[in-house]
Amino acid sequence: MATVQELQASDVEILNPYEIVQSQIENAAAILGLKRDIVEILKKPKRVLCVSFPVKMDDGTVRVFEGFRSQHNDAIGPTKGGIRFHPDVTLDEVKALSMWMTFKCGVVSLPYGGGKGGVICDPHTLSKGEIERISRGFMEAIADIVGPDKDIPAPDVYTNPQIMGWMMDTFSRIKGSFNPGVITGKPLIVGGSKGRNEATARGCVFTIMEAIKDAGKSLQNATVAIQGFGNAGRIAADLLAAEGCKIVAVSDSTGGLYNPDGLELDTVKKLKDTTGILSYDSRYHLQRPEELLELDVDILIPAALENVITRKNAHKVKARIVAEAANGPTTPEADKILHQNGVLVIPDILANAGGVTVSYFEWVQNLMNYYWSEAEVNQKLCDVMVQSYWAVRSLAQEYKCDFRTAAYMISLKRLAEAMKARGWVNE
Ligand code: GLU
C-alpha cells in the first residue's frame, strides 16, 4: 500500500475510497509510530457479507438485488453505521465507509466500531412498496450478523426513518421479540430519538461554530455554499441561516443555485419538494453544479458523496473553512493542497459525527427503555461535538498537522489501546 506521500508523487490520483482510507490510516499511524500488527488489523474489515435477494416488483416481475454489509472493527464495541441505497454503490465503497465509521466513532469517543451497508438500487425509480420490500429483503439477508450487541445499522444516503422502521420490524419478527436497539434513525413512535433527524447537520454546525470562534470571527453574514440538499445539507442550511449566515449556493445531482446576496431558503425547499430539481431561475442557475465548490464563500459544506474535492479543483477552493458533512468528499491529494493553502478542513469523521452520536443516544434510550427530551439530546450532542473539536484542534496544533490526521490519531490511539487490552496484539 502506498503512503500518502507516494500517492501524491504519482501521476494517477487514487479515487478508490478503500485505498484512500488505507492511506489515511498509514499516514496517521506513521506519525504515532504505531506497531505494524495494529495497522494491518485496521486496514481491512473484519467481516464482509455480500447478499443477493429477490424482490417482487409492482409490475409482477421479480428482480434480484445485491447488497453488502461490512463490519470493520469491533475492538471497542459493536459495529455501527448506516445503510445506503444507491445505484453506484460498490463493495469497496461500503468497506471504506465502514472503516471511516470506526474512526468517526473513535473521534467522538463512542463505544462502537464501524460498520456500513449498501444496496445497489435507485430509490428514485422505485415505488414506496418496492422500497419497502427491498428494505425488508435486505434486513432478512443480513439478520444473522446484525443485532443490538453485534452491529447496528442506521440511515445513510437515500435511506430514511421509514426504511429503518421497516427493517426494525423485519428483524423483530425474525427474532420473535421487539428489538428497537437493532437499528437507529427510526421513527419516534417505534423508539427513535428526538433530534436524530437533524443530528448530522446540527453536529456539523457545532464544529463550524467552534472553528469560527477559534479564528476570532463571527457567523453573522458569513457566506456558505452547500453541495447536497438531502438530510444533512438541507438542515445545515436552515441551522446556519438561523445563526445569521447567508446561504449563497446549494446544489444537488439535479442542478445548482447561486445568489451572492443569499438564497431564499423557503423557496428553494419548496422547489425541491415540488419539482424534485434545483434549477428554476436562470439568474441564479449554476452552469455546472461542481462550480459551487469553487465559489468565493467563507464556508463550504460538501454534503453529498465521495471524491468531489480532488487535486483537479482543490487549488480553486476559495472557502476558508470546508466542513465535510459528507463521508470522504476530499481525496488525500486535495487535502494536502487545501492544507498548504491554509484552508481549514473539518474532516468528515469529526464534522459529520453528530449523526452517529445521536444514534448512540437512541440506542442507549432503547436499551434503557427511557426517553429524553429534545433539549437534553441537543445539549449532550453539543458537549460531545465541542469537546471533540477541541481535542482534534489541540492535537493538530501539537503535531503541526491537518485536522484529519489529528482526528485519525485520536481514534488510532483508542483502538490500539483496546486491542492491547483484549490481547489481540502484544504490548
Ligand atoms: N450514516 C451516518 C454516518 O455516516 C450515520 C451512521 C449511524 O448513525 O450509525 O455517519
Side-chain angles (χ1 to χ4, degrees):
M1 170 52 46
T3 63
V4 174
Q5 286 74 17
E6 282 161 1
L7 288 177
Q8 278 149 6
S10 76
D11 274 349
V12 206
E13 179 163 29
I14 302 287
L15 295 176
N16 179 337
Y18 186 45
E19 292 176 29
I20 289 178
V21 62
Q22 289 181 327
S23 75
Q24 289 166 337
I25 296 172
E26 289 280 4
N27 190 31
I31 301 179
L32 282 176
L34 275 194
K35 291 217 319 237
R36 213 49 232 161
D37 45 8
I38 294 175
V39 180
E40 289 308 320
I41 294 176
L42 291 171
K43 276 174 67 180
K44 290 189 176 121
K46 172 178 173 166
R47 182 191 284 128
V48 175
L49 181 65
C50 299
V51 298
S52 58
F53 52 97
V55 173
K56 280 195 183 140
M57 307 306 282
D58 290 350
D59 64 4
T61 60
V62 171
R63 253 176 78 187
V64 177
F65 286 86
E66 261 183 274
F68 319 102
R69 183 75 190 166
S70 169
Q71 301 172 339
H72 173 234
N73 181 286
D74 57 1
I76 292 179
T79 48
K80 178 91 193 80
I83 295 173
R84 65 175 54 180
F85 283 1
H86 197 279
D88 303 327
V89 70
T90 65
L91 178 58
D92 269 2
E93 183 185 12
V94 168
K95 285 199 228 170
L97 288 160
S98 73
M99 293 160 80
W100 279 321
M101 283 309 303
T102 300
F103 295 100
K104 190 184 300 184
C105 292
V107 179
V108 287
S109 300
L110 304 182
Y112 289 139
K116 201 74 159 203
V119 178
I120 307 174
C121 67
D122 182 0
H124 297 115
T125 62
L126 298 163
S127 71
K128 190 173 176 196
E130 288 167 339
I131 295 176
E132 174 174 356
R133 293 191 291 280
I134 291 170
S135 306
R136 292 186 183 279
F138 183 60
M139 176 47 94
E140 204 183 320
I142 64 168
D144 278 348
I145 64 158
V146 297
D149 53 2
K150 281 191 199 169
D151 180 19
I152 305 127
D156 197 78
V157 175
Y158 297 155
T159 52
N160 55 35
Q162 174 62 82
I163 292 176
M164 302 303 112
W166 289 324
M167 289 189 174
M168 183 278 282
D169 181 68
T170 295
F171 184 84
S172 294
R173 285 170 190 232
I174 291 171
K175 299 293 166 192
S177 58
F178 185 53
N179 265 277
V182 67
I183 203 161
T184 58
K186 300 176 293 295
L188 284 184
I189 189 73
V190 286
S193 174
K194 296 202 169 109
R196 174 61 186 87
N197 203 39
E198 300 78 21
T200 307
R202 195 179 293 280
C204 184
V205 169
F206 284 139
T207 63
I208 293 172
M209 286 162 85
E210 293 312 295
I212 288 278
K213 248 190 259 164
D214 199 6
K217 297 200 177 124
S218 141
L219 277 181
Q220 269 312 314
N221 291 321
T223 50
V224 182
I226 304 178
Q227 184 201 42
F229 209 58
N231 174 278
R234 183 176 175 139
I235 299 174
D238 276 339
L239 294 173
L240 285 168
E243 292 296 328
C245 291
K246 237 193 315 180
I247 312 302
V248 296
V250 295
S251 71
D252 70 1
S253 55
T254 65
L257 299 169
Y258 172 49
N259 179 357
D261 298 324
L263 293 166
E264 235 307 324
L265 276 183
D266 285 340
T267 317
V268 175
K269 284 189 280 185
K270 218 196 241 146
L271 171 80
K272 173 81 184 174
D273 291 339
T274 50
T275 67
I277 55 171
L278 273 187
S279 48
Y280 70 118
D281 186 328
S282 52
R283 283 174 307 162
Y284 304 145
H285 184 200
L286 283 172
Q287 289 306 323
R288 296 174 299 117
E290 316 82 76
E291 271 173 54
L292 176 138
L293 302 165
E294 300 159 17
L295 292 173
D296 191 2
V297 290
D298 299 309
I299 301 162
L300 171 64
I301 306 184
L305 292 169
E306 299 92 278
N307 293 338
V308 294
I309 307 179
T310 66
R311 74 169 171 199
K312 291 210 181 93
N313 61 0
H315 58 279
K316 296 189 198 149
V317 169
K318 297 177 194 71
R320 301 323 293 158
I321 295 177
V322 174
E324 297 183 333
N327 288 309
T330 310
T331 65
E333 284 189 60
D335 249 341
K336 193 167 176 232
I337 298 168
L338 294 174
H339 188 58
Q340 274 163 0
N341 291 348
V343 179
L344 174 69
V345 178
I346 310 176
D348 46 8
I349 57 172
L350 171 64
N352 73 32
V356 71
T357 300
V358 177
S359 272
Y360 167 60
F361 298 157
E362 179 173 332
W363 179 78
V364 168
Q365 293 170 82
N366 294 153
L367 299 187
M368 293 190 301
N369 226 337
Y370 176 73
Y371 288 83
W372 305 337
S373 70
E374 185 164 355
E376 199 170 347
V377 169
N378 289 346
Q379 186 54 53
K380 284 183 163 56
L381 172 64
C382 178
D383 294 346
V384 169
M385 298 309 297
V386 170
Q387 201 249 315
S388 307
Y389 173 88
W390 288 99
V392 171
R393 194 267 199 200
S394 35
L395 205 67
Q397 204 167 32
E398 186 184 333
Y399 282 85
K400 299 196 180 5
C401 62
D402 58 32
F403 274 33
R404 189 181 321 277
T405 309
Y408 269 91
M409 284 160 66
I410 290 176
S411 282
L412 281 171
K413 278 191 200 169
R414 276 169 58 83
L415 286 158
E417 214 182 304
M419 290 196 281
K420 278 181 199 156
R422 294 184 67 159
W424 294 5
V425 291
N426 298 324
E427 274 299 320

